[in-house]
Amino acid sequence: MSSINIVGLGYIGLPTALMFAKSGLKVVGTDYKKEIVDSLSQGKLFFEEEGLKELFEAAQANGIEFSTEYFKTDTYILAVPTPYIEESKKLDPVYVISAVKSVLDVCEKGAAIIIESTISPGTIDRHIRPVIEERGFVIGKDVHLLHAPERIIPGNMVYELEHNSRTIGADNLEVAAMIKELYASFCKSDIVLTDIRSAEMSKVVENTFRDVNIAFANELAKICRNDGMDVYEIIRIANKHPRVNILQPGPGVGGHCISVDPWFLVGDYPDLTNLILSARKINDSMPEHVLGRIRDIMREHNIKDITKVGLYGLAYKENVDDTRESPTLQLLERMDEHLAFGVKVFDPFVKEQMVDDQVMDFKKFINEVEIVVLMVGHDHIKENMDLLKDKLVLDMKNISELEGVYKL
Ligand code: SAJ
């Protein structure tokens, strides 16, 4: 293998490109967004992750390049977005298709096209193979197709890139073994070889499992709230059982993975997905539950003005700046529907104005509100919990030990 062209320099593509470059491979990272390419070429990262800066420096030292153009080589890794279509709940393969077409314009004969983006089971058969064949390429001869779904978790990406097990799906085990060697240049864990369909399905199943588990915790939280029981205590005790592992309830499920991937199964198998659909509905109902809890506290303390309420956290989870599908954004949407405007919002990781009434300074935020709703458990708030002593605190993440704090 001469070099790798990694297409899509987002949350997955960029760390992966840097990791390959750090391992000594020649890497060109491609993204159609010129501002991303320019920023990286000037040595500037556009998101934060533990260890990413050091990884970037090592990759730069090994000569990683960034470009808006595709690069002629024999190995392509595609890490482009795979959104879902709101109405049909099916995957929209438009970006993957367009990336595959661009690869075909430049690739060497016999090149491997490895799709890392999460795709719904059957996407490669239904959408990718036909595109390649229409262009007159013979799959397995002119190009090889593989699916190597990413599994790294935002917040711990660099560590997980090296330590998570990986799956590689391919038509041809010899080609799969070659690509396994490639990933083994940095991946220290098991690399499992399988067929493409199983690789597609196992990835979506992993995220769906987590969504269903969180939905169970959220349903328990509602049951416990109804009868004055402490859901955290109950989960803590139940999890002492050697075969029980319940996740934590919270204000909702956000991010571009857990809250999206189960919909692929619901979209493709509407008659067979009762549990998965219910889990999605339960998790999507949590922001409304939070709104109910805010109302309870306002009533109890005779607070009528919603602008006295502050939502801490706009990211979808702790210590990241990614706000995609975040529970806070979902809650703000519900508030708009209930004509409850003017709630204040603060997130130390979100440096640009994203929503109305977002306060950019933490002290100002605290001074302006009477009720603080902890939507995200950033380390920042754990370190500043003392400053909330005189506030009414509604803690959706079970992180505050302040006296009198309200819970989920
Ligand atoms: N959440 C809870 N309770 C929990 C854990 C999470 O409410 O006990 C919420 C979070 O606050 C967040 C959402 O779920 O809003 C999703 O966060 P997450 O940390 O569970 O997962 P993601 O979306 O950041 O990353 C997931 C991971 N998948 C699994 O753990 C099975 C990651 O390994 C995948 O690579 C990633 O999806 C992906 O890209 O598919």
Side-chain angles (χ1 to χ4, degrees), residues 28-53:
V28 178
T30 296
D31 201 291
Y32 77 101
K33 286 191 185 144
K34 190 173 176 305
E35 60 277 20
I36 287 188
V37 169
D38 287 348
S39 156
L40 293 170
S41 304
Q42 289 158 19
K44 281 187 255 157
L45 287 167
F46 52 91
F47 67 95
E48 291 177 21
E49 262 292 327
E50 173 92 34
L52 191 64
K53 196 166 160 283

Short mmCIF file of all heavy atoms in Angstrom, two decimals, residues 28-53:
data_model
loop_
_atom_site.label_atom_id
_atom_site.label_comp_id
_atom_site.label_asym_id
_atom_site.label_seq_id
_atom_site.Cartn_x
_atom_site.Cartn_y
_atom_site.Cartn_z
N VAL A 28 -3.34 11.47 3.22
CA VAL A 28 -3.92 12.73 2.75
C VAL A 28 -5.36 12.74 3.26
O VAL A 28 -6.12 11.79 3.05
CB VAL A 28 -3.92 12.83 1.21
CG1 VAL A 28 -4.59 14.13 0.77
CG2 VAL A 28 -2.51 12.74 0.67
N GLY A 29 -5.73 13.81 3.97
CA GLY A 29 -7.10 13.96 4.45
C GLY A 29 -7.85 14.89 3.51
O GLY A 29 -7.36 15.96 3.17
N THR A 30 -9.04 14.45 3.10
CA THR A 30 -9.81 15.26 2.15
C THR A 30 -11.15 15.66 2.76
O THR A 30 -11.81 14.84 3.40
CB THR A 30 -10.09 14.42 0.87
OG1 THR A 30 -8.84 14.13 0.25
CG2 THR A 30 -10.99 15.16 -0.10
N ASP A 31 -11.50 16.92 2.57
CA ASP A 31 -12.84 17.36 2.98
C ASP A 31 -13.29 18.40 1.97
O ASP A 31 -12.48 19.21 1.51
CB ASP A 31 -12.81 17.97 4.38
CG ASP A 31 -14.19 17.95 5.03
OD1 ASP A 31 -15.08 18.69 4.55
OD2 ASP A 31 -14.40 17.16 5.97
N TYR A 32 -14.60 18.37 1.64
CA TYR A 32 -15.06 19.35 0.64
C TYR A 32 -15.17 20.75 1.24
O TYR A 32 -15.23 21.74 0.53
CB TYR A 32 -16.39 18.90 0.00
CG TYR A 32 -17.61 19.09 0.86
CD1 TYR A 32 -18.48 20.16 0.65
CD2 TYR A 32 -17.93 18.21 1.88
CE1 TYR A 32 -19.61 20.35 1.43
CE2 TYR A 32 -19.04 18.39 2.68
CZ TYR A 32 -19.88 19.46 2.45
OH TYR A 32 -20.98 19.64 3.23
N LYS A 33 -15.13 20.84 2.58
CA LYS A 33 -15.21 22.17 3.20
C LYS A 33 -13.83 22.80 3.24
O LYS A 33 -12.94 22.36 4.00
CB LYS A 33 -15.76 22.05 4.63
CG LYS A 33 -17.25 21.78 4.68
CD LYS A 33 -17.76 21.94 6.10
CE LYS A 33 -19.21 21.55 6.16
NZ LYS A 33 -19.57 20.88 7.41
N LYS A 34 -13.69 23.88 2.46
CA LYS A 34 -12.39 24.52 2.34
C LYS A 34 -11.91 25.07 3.69
O LYS A 34 -10.72 25.02 4.01
CB LYS A 34 -12.49 25.64 1.29
CG LYS A 34 -11.17 26.20 0.89
CD LYS A 34 -11.29 27.19 -0.26
CE LYS A 34 -9.95 27.83 -0.61
NZ LYS A 34 -9.27 28.47 0.49
N GLU A 35 -12.86 25.59 4.50
CA GLU A 35 -12.44 26.21 5.77
C GLU A 35 -11.80 25.16 6.70
O GLU A 35 -10.87 25.47 7.43
CB GLU A 35 -13.56 27.00 6.45
CG GLU A 35 -14.82 26.27 6.83
CD GLU A 35 -15.85 26.10 5.70
OE1 GLU A 35 -15.50 26.21 4.51
OE2 GLU A 35 -17.02 25.82 6.04
N ILE A 36 -12.31 23.93 6.63
CA ILE A 36 -11.73 22.87 7.47
C ILE A 36 -10.32 22.54 6.99
O ILE A 36 -9.37 22.44 7.77
CB ILE A 36 -12.63 21.60 7.41
CG1 ILE A 36 -13.90 21.85 8.23
CG2 ILE A 36 -11.89 20.36 7.91
CD1 ILE A 36 -14.78 20.64 8.41
N VAL A 37 -10.18 22.40 5.68
CA VAL A 37 -8.87 22.06 5.09
C VAL A 37 -7.87 23.19 5.38
O VAL A 37 -6.73 22.93 5.79
CB VAL A 37 -9.04 21.80 3.57
CG1 VAL A 37 -7.69 21.72 2.88
CG2 VAL A 37 -9.85 20.53 3.36
N ASP A 38 -8.31 24.43 5.20
CA ASP A 38 -7.40 25.57 5.46
C ASP A 38 -6.97 25.59 6.92
O ASP A 38 -5.79 25.77 7.23
CB ASP A 38 -8.10 26.90 5.12
CG ASP A 38 -8.23 27.08 3.61
OD1 ASP A 38 -7.59 26.30 2.87
OD2 ASP A 38 -8.99 27.97 3.17
N SER A 39 -7.95 25.40 7.80
CA SER A 39 -7.64 25.46 9.23
C SER A 39 -6.63 24.37 9.60
O SER A 39 -5.62 24.64 10.26
CB SER A 39 -8.96 25.33 10.00
OG SER A 39 -8.76 24.85 11.28
N LEU A 40 -6.86 23.15 9.13
CA LEU A 40 -5.94 22.05 9.46
C LEU A 40 -4.58 22.27 8.83
O LEU A 40 -3.54 22.02 9.46
CB LEU A 40 -6.54 20.71 9.01
CG LEU A 40 -7.80 20.27 9.78
CD1 LEU A 40 -8.44 19.06 9.10
CD2 LEU A 40 -7.47 19.94 11.24
N SER A 41 -4.58 22.77 7.59
CA SER A 41 -3.29 23.00 6.93
C SER A 41 -2.47 24.06 7.67
O SER A 41 -1.24 24.05 7.64
CB SER A 41 -3.50 23.46 5.48
OG SER A 41 -4.28 22.50 4.81
N GLN A 42 -3.20 24.99 8.35
CA GLN A 42 -2.47 26.01 9.14
C GLN A 42 -2.17 25.53 10.56
O GLN A 42 -1.80 26.31 11.44
CB GLN A 42 -3.31 27.29 9.21
CG GLN A 42 -3.41 28.04 7.90
CD GLN A 42 -4.64 28.96 7.87
OE1 GLN A 42 -5.20 29.29 8.92
NE2 GLN A 42 -5.06 29.34 6.68
N GLY A 43 -2.46 24.26 10.81
CA GLY A 43 -2.13 23.71 12.13
C GLY A 43 -3.18 23.97 13.19
O GLY A 43 -2.90 23.88 14.39
N LYS A 44 -4.42 24.32 12.75
CA LYS A 44 -5.45 24.64 13.76
C LYS A 44 -6.52 23.55 13.77
O LYS A 44 -7.12 23.25 12.74
CB LYS A 44 -6.10 25.99 13.43
CG LYS A 44 -5.25 27.15 13.87
CD LYS A 44 -5.98 28.46 13.69
CE LYS A 44 -5.42 29.18 12.48
NZ LYS A 44 -6.15 30.14 11.80
N LEU A 45 -6.77 23.02 14.97
CA LEU A 45 -7.86 22.03 15.12
C LEU A 45 -9.17 22.78 15.29
O LEU A 45 -9.19 23.91 15.77
CB LEU A 45 -7.61 21.18 16.36
CG LEU A 45 -6.49 20.16 16.26
CD1 LEU A 45 -6.15 19.61 17.64
CD2 LEU A 45 -6.90 19.03 15.32
N PHE A 46 -10.28 22.17 14.93
CA PHE A 46 -11.57 22.88 15.05
C PHE A 46 -12.49 22.21 16.06
O PHE A 46 -13.64 22.59 16.21
CB PHE A 46 -12.25 23.01 13.68
CG PHE A 46 -12.37 21.71 12.96
CD1 PHE A 46 -13.48 20.92 13.12
CD2 PHE A 46 -11.33 21.25 12.15
CE1 PHE A 46 -13.57 19.69 12.48
CE2 PHE A 46 -11.41 20.03 11.51
CZ PHE A 46 -12.54 19.24 11.69
N PHE A 47 -12.02 21.18 16.75
CA PHE A 47 -12.76 20.68 17.92
C PHE A 47 -11.76 20.12 18.92
O PHE A 47 -10.60 19.88 18.59
CB PHE A 47 -13.84 19.66 17.54
CG PHE A 47 -13.36 18.35 16.98
CD1 PHE A 47 -13.19 17.24 17.80
CD2 PHE A 47 -13.08 18.21 15.62
CE1 PHE A 47 -12.75 16.04 17.29
CE2 PHE A 47 -12.65 17.00 15.10
CZ PHE A 47 -12.48 15.91 15.93
N GLU A 48 -12.26 20.00 20.16
CA GLU A 48 -11.35 19.60 21.24
C GLU A 48 -11.60 18.16 21.63
O GLU A 48 -12.74 17.71 21.63
CB GLU A 48 -11.61 20.48 22.47
CG GLU A 48 -11.19 21.90 22.29
CD GLU A 48 -11.52 22.75 23.50
OE1 GLU A 48 -11.71 22.20 24.60
OE2 GLU A 48 -11.60 23.97 23.34
N GLU A 49 -10.56 17.46 21.95
CA GLU A 49 -10.64 16.07 22.43
C GLU A 49 -9.38 15.81 23.21
O GLU A 49 -8.29 16.25 22.81
CB GLU A 49 -10.68 15.10 21.24
CG GLU A 49 -12.02 14.61 20.81
CD GLU A 49 -12.71 13.67 21.80
OE1 GLU A 49 -12.05 12.90 22.51
OE2 GLU A 49 -13.95 13.73 21.85
N GLU A 50 -9.51 15.10 24.28
CA GLU A 50 -8.36 14.69 25.08
C GLU A 50 -7.30 14.02 24.17
O GLU A 50 -7.62 13.04 23.47
CB GLU A 50 -8.88 13.69 26.12
CG GLU A 50 -7.86 13.01 26.95
CD GLU A 50 -7.59 13.77 28.24
OE1 GLU A 50 -8.54 14.36 28.77
OE2 GLU A 50 -6.43 13.74 28.69
N GLY A 51 -6.11 14.56 24.15
CA GLY A 51 -5.00 13.92 23.42
C GLY A 51 -4.97 14.24 21.93
O GLY A 51 -4.05 13.81 21.21
N LEU A 52 -5.95 15.01 21.44
CA LEU A 52 -6.02 15.25 19.99
C LEU A 52 -4.89 16.17 19.51
O LEU A 52 -4.31 15.98 18.44
CB LEU A 52 -7.39 15.85 19.62
CG LEU A 52 -7.72 15.91 18.14
CD1 LEU A 52 -7.81 14.51 17.54
CD2 LEU A 52 -9.05 16.64 17.90
N LYS A 53 -4.57 17.15 20.35
CA LYS A 53 -3.54 18.12 19.97
C LYS A 53 -2.19 17.41 19.79
O LYS A 53 -1.50 17.61 18.78
CB LYS A 53 -3.44 19.17 21.09
CG LYS A 53 -2.73 20.41 20.73
CD LYS A 53 -2.99 21.50 21.76
CE LYS A 53 -1.93 22.56 21.69
NZ LYS A 53 -0.65 22.18 22.30
#
